[in-house]
């Protein structure tokens, strides 16, 4: 009865599954799925490379980009441990540029990541259909940010149109 079935994609790889097996699993599941939603990733370049790499490998499912919402550092550590990042300190040490973004007042906000993803969102062969915001259980804060972000985009669009 399901009309839509999404499957996960891993732009930064998986802690226990080799990349070649992940690609094979996508190919095996493709006939039964309607989209791929990427797992949490903070690196627009890696997301772009991953999407274009899947396209080159014959994966044609539309993609929904999994983007982190608003979060504080302690929440990232808690969630990353829960979703399978075994050593949160190792994760953060590999992503040291993120630490500064999380330490500023209000924590991390995805504005910069979304701006960096615009070329991918506008690239028809990439077939990116949307963005999924991971809220880290900070739904209200993320929704407030989302509303302000969309209002800013609408104001920018109105300014460009006039």
């Amino acid at each position: 009865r399901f009309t839509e079935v999404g499957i996960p994609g891993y732009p930064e790889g998986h802690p226990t599954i080799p990349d070649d097996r992940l690609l094979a699993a996508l190919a095996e599941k493709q006939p039964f799925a309607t989209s791929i939603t990427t797992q949490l990733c903070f690196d627009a370049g890696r997301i772009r490379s991953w999407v274009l790499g899947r396209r080159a490998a014959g994966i044609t499912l539309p993609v929904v980009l999994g983007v982190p919402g608003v979060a504080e550092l302690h929440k990232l550590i808690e969630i990353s441990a829960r979703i399978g990042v075994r050593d949160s300190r190792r994760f953060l040490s590999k992503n040291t540029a993120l630490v500064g973004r999380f330490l500023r007042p209000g924590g991390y906000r995805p504005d910069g990541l979304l701006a960096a993803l615009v070329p991918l969102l506008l690239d028809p062969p990439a077939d990116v259909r949307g963005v999924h915001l991971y809220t880290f259980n900070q739904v209200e804060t993320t929704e407030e940010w989302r509303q302000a972000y969309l209002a800013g985009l609408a104001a920018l669009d109105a300014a460009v149109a006039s």
Side-chain angles (χ1 to χ4, degrees):
R1 294 187 193 216
F2 295 106
T3 58
E4 304 222 2
V5 175
I7 55 177
Y10 298 88
E12 293 190 299
H14 188 279
T16 61
I17 305 171
D19 288 343
D20 61 334
R21 184 63 198 125
L22 289 172
L23 181 58
L26 282 177
E28 292 165 10
K29 294 173 184 177
Q30 182 166 239
F32 310 104
T34 55
S35 67
I36 300 168
T37 299
T38 65
Q39 295 294 323
L40 181 67
C41 186
F42 294 89
D43 183 338
R46 184 166 282 203
I47 294 167
R48 179 176 174 70
S49 294
W50 184 87
V51 170
L52 298 180
R54 298 312 71 116
R55 296 298 181 239
I59 304 299
T60 59
L61 291 169
V63 175
V64 176
L65 302 178
V67 173
V70 176
E72 300 287 343
L73 180 59
H74 70 89
K75 191 56 95 167
L76 172 66
I77 292 170
E78 175 188 321
I79 298 296
S80 64
R82 202 177 320 149
I83 64 173
V85 178
R86 291 185 178 183
D87 183 345
S88 298
R89 284 176 287 172
R90 189 174 126 223
F91 170 78
L92 290 172
S93 70
K94 287 171 44 179
N95 296 282
T96 53
L98 292 177
V99 174
R101 288 186 236 160
F102 280 96
L103 293 177
R104 72 176 176 229
Y108 175 82
R109 299 192 181 284
D111 303 61
L113 178 58
L114 289 172
L117 288 169
V118 167
L120 183 63
L121 291 164
L122 297 176
D123 182 6
D127 197 15
V128 175
R129 301 275 177 97
V131 173
H132 172 84
L133 285 172
Y134 289 102
T135 65
F136 307 107
N137 296 323
Q138 304 296 301
V139 176
E140 186 175 329
T141 306
T142 299
E143 178 58 12
E144 288 171 4
W145 167 84
R146 188 184 77 82
Q147 290 294 330
Y149 185 78
L150 291 174
L153 289 177
L156 179 62
D157 189 41
V160 169
S162 60

